[in-house]
Amino acid sequence: MPRQSPRTTLLLALPSALLLTLVAINWSPLLALDEDTARTTHRWAVRERDLTQTFRVLTDWVWDPVTMRLLCAGVALWLVWRRAAWWTALWLLITCAVAALVQQAIKAGVARPRPVWPDPVDSARFAAFPSGHAMTATVVCGLLLWLIRAHGVRGPRWYGAVAVAAVSVLGVGLTRVWLGVHWFSDVLGGWLFGALVVAGAVLVHERRSKVRP
């Protein structure tokens, strides 16, 4: 498969830094877009109770960061057990840990408040930006897709994996906005920073090892 280029990491770093700056300075057009989107989706969430409950199950159990990290841990164990790929397994776990640290550092630094509603349909802790759910799903799905591709998976199985990853990453972002616990730009930030972490991690892996994991 094509090797990761440092240019890809740079191209992801630029919009990530730009969005971080716009959120940090409370750029009015971005705030207006976030508020309009949040008000619309909150009205739908209050009205469509069954769909809202489904989204709560998906975001709290299927796409929850803990679930995603446990999936990575399971893959790491498989890599050691079936492939004796100690370096790749360790790389996978360290990348997930680094992503969590980056996420919490940005949250603490920006300290963005979450949306507040008189009739909330869900609740969440910590600061809003970036979305931890969106970032974790992006990191885990991105890493696993790279590993699947690196192990030579092609054809229908590859396209199936891409479809599952896309639904997970986009779906968790939708649930966080729908449930009123994140602004849209929080989710966008989670996607961008997650992709940036994946790109950087792949670059490190490829420079560390010249063979497939």
Side-chain angles (χ1 to χ4, degrees):
M1 63 181 298
R3 298 186 71 81
Q4 174 70 34
S5 167
R7 184 178 300 176
T8 303
T9 306
L10 178 61
L11 290 175
L12 285 168
L14 292 175
S16 300
L18 176 60
L19 181 60
L20 174 61
T21 301
L22 295 179
V23 170
I25 65 174
N26 294 317
W27 192 51
S28 297
L30 180 62
L31 296 182
L33 174 62
D34 278 340
E35 290 170 0
D36 288 345
T37 303
R39 281 194 295 267
T40 299
T41 53
H42 183 66
R43 286 198 302 269
W44 294 342
V46 171
R47 185 174 67 236
E48 304 294 337
R49 289 290 182 175
D50 290 341
L51 183 56
T52 297
Q53 182 57 33
T54 299
F55 281 175
R56 289 188 67 179
V57 171
L58 288 171
T59 200
D60 290 341
W61 295 97
V62 180
W63 295 323
D64 181 74
V66 173
T67 304
M68 292 285 104
R69 289 166 189 149
L70 287 174
L71 174 60
C72 257
V75 172
L77 288 174
W78 180 86
L79 285 169
V80 171
W81 177 46
R82 296 297 300 270
R83 301 273 182 165
W86 290 91
W87 154 244
T88 300
L90 183 61
W91 165 83
L92 187 62
L93 296 176
I94 290 176
T95 302
C96 287
V98 168
L101 291 174
V102 169
Q103 167 202 312
Q104 291 302 323
I106 297 173
K107 281 181 178 289
V110 176
R112 189 186 200 186
R114 293 179 184 267
V116 177
W117 309 104
D119 52 348
V121 298
D122 203 354
S123 62
R125 298 179 299 165
F126 307 117
F129 184 89
S131 165
H133 282 67
M135 184 170 175
T136 305
T138 302
V139 169
V140 171
C141 291
L143 292 174
L144 296 186
L145 279 180
W146 183 82
L147 284 171
I148 289 170
R149 191 71 171 178
H151 279 93
V153 175
R154 301 291 188 273
R157 290 191 299 167
W158 166 249
Y159 294 119
V162 170
V164 170
V167 169
S168 298
V169 171
L170 296 175
V172 75
L174 171 62
T175 64
R176 303 311 284 169
V177 176
W178 180 279
L179 295 171
V181 293
H182 275 295
W183 309 104
F184 172 71
S185 57
D186 298 338
V187 170
L188 181 59
W191 289 336
L192 284 173
F193 281 104
L196 178 59
V197 168
V198 172
V202 169
L203 192 60
V204 168
H205 190 285
E206 290 182 340
R207 288 187 173 183
R208 167 66 172 75
S209 175
K210 299 299 183 182
V211 298
R212 288 183 175 181

